[in-house]
Amino acid sequence: TDALISAIYGDVLVQTDVIDDCLSPMWMPWSTRAFKFQIPNPSTAIFIGVSDYDVGPLEHETIGRVAIQLNKFSPGILYTLTYDLHESSNLLEFGDSVGKITVRIRIEYDEHKMLMASLKPPGQSWVTSKRKKTHQVAKYCTEGPHDEDTFELQLFWSHIDEIWGKKRMLSYMISDMFYSLIFWRDQVQGLPLHSAVVFYLSVNVVEK
């Protein structure tokens, strides 16, 4: 495999050097392997794709991809993390891992500015490239093997499953917060009903 790593964050596309004929490539310090991005919104994910580089007219053969959410990292800490690579982000086609990738990530930001930026949804980004082959790799990094502009029934059901999964998670979080607030769960053993009574009386006192 002639390994090529592509990374997209926002409207920025970067690529490493190509390592020829290696199934477990490692990029040395003197190679192009480190990149710095400006963080427009903490909710914006960084997309990383691995491809088999082709010098001819054929497209680069895509191997796997991963999306990394940066909002779960603390500033000032150097993380060395290993992620599984998958051919598709489609939940119905997720399948087994096709490989692994190890990355180092360090986040630096002003917490107040990031807090204010997180209140806004991330805006749309457009990635431009000089070559069609590079554009196809960028499209694979962000969208996977499916064309989001073309209707596919399997992709449609995958999105439906994802929405239902998020709904179940949200329902669980709301019920968990409710029981923790009303019954002081995890603070005392069992479900003390007297705490619910105290909470109810306190609310009525405040309202009156």
Side-chain angles (χ1 to χ4, degrees):
T1 300
D2 301 331
L4 168 68
I5 306 295
S6 304
I8 295 178
Y9 186 73
D11 58 357
V12 179
L13 166 65
V14 295
Q15 293 181 312
T16 65
D17 291 335
V18 179
I19 297 182
D20 299 324
D21 300 324
C22 184
L23 294 178
S24 299
M26 178 180 295
W27 281 260
M28 295 294 104
W30 57 82
S31 64
T32 303
R33 68 170 192 175
F35 307 99
K36 183 178 180 179
F37 301 96
Q38 297 293 329
I39 303 178
N41 189 296
S43 299
T44 303
I46 180 170
F47 299 93
I48 299 177
V50 182
S51 307
D52 185 1
Y53 185 82
D54 193 322
V55 295
L58 299 178
E59 300 178 8
H60 302 315
E61 181 181 354
T62 55
I63 298 175
R65 61 189 291 274
V66 63
I68 303 175
Q69 297 291 340
L70 301 182
N71 54 8
K72 60 184 179 182
F73 299 125
S74 299
I77 299 177
L78 179 62
Y79 296 88
T80 301
L81 305 168
T82 300
Y83 293 93
D84 288 322
L85 295 171
H86 295 273
E87 294 181 356
S88 173
S89 60
N90 188 322
L91 298 180
L92 300 181
E93 300 178 353
F94 208 64
D96 297 330
S97 170
V98 297
K100 296 181 180 293
I101 185 171
T102 299
V103 297
R104 287 182 178 176
I105 298 175
R106 183 183 178 91
I107 307 293
E108 296 289 348
Y109 58 80
D110 181 273
E111 295 187 7
H112 176 70
K113 291 182 179 180
M114 283 297 102
L115 178 61
M116 299 304 295
S118 65
L119 300 178
K120 302 178 182 179
Q124 289 185 326
S125 299
W126 288 266
V127 178
T128 58
S129 57
K130 294 181 179 180
R131 303 180 62 187
K132 182 179 179 181
K133 294 169 64 172
T134 305
H135 174 74
Q136 291 167 339
V137 170
K139 189 175 181 65
Y140 172 77
C141 287
T142 55
E143 299 181 1
H146 296 279
D147 188 351
E148 296 288 345
D149 297 328
T150 303
F151 177 78
E152 295 183 34
L153 185 60
Q154 191 173 26
L155 184 62
F156 171 77
W157 285 115
S158 175
H159 288 321
I160 294 297
D161 288 342
E162 183 177 1
I163 292 173
W164 278 111
K166 292 184 180 298
K167 178 181 179 298
R168 288 191 295 268
M169 181 181 297
L170 181 61
S171 300
Y172 169 78
M173 292 175 61
I174 293 175
S175 63
D176 184 70
M177 289 188 296
F178 175 79
Y179 284 114
S180 297
L181 177 64
I182 300 299
F183 298 109
W184 296 350
R185 196 177 63 181
D186 297 332
Q187 299 182 30
V188 294
Q189 296 294 328
L191 296 177
L193 295 179
H194 63 274
S195 63
V197 175
V198 172
F199 176 79
Y200 175 78
L201 294 177
S202 301
V203 171
N204 278 273
V205 169
V206 171
E207 290 180 349
K208 295 179 180 180

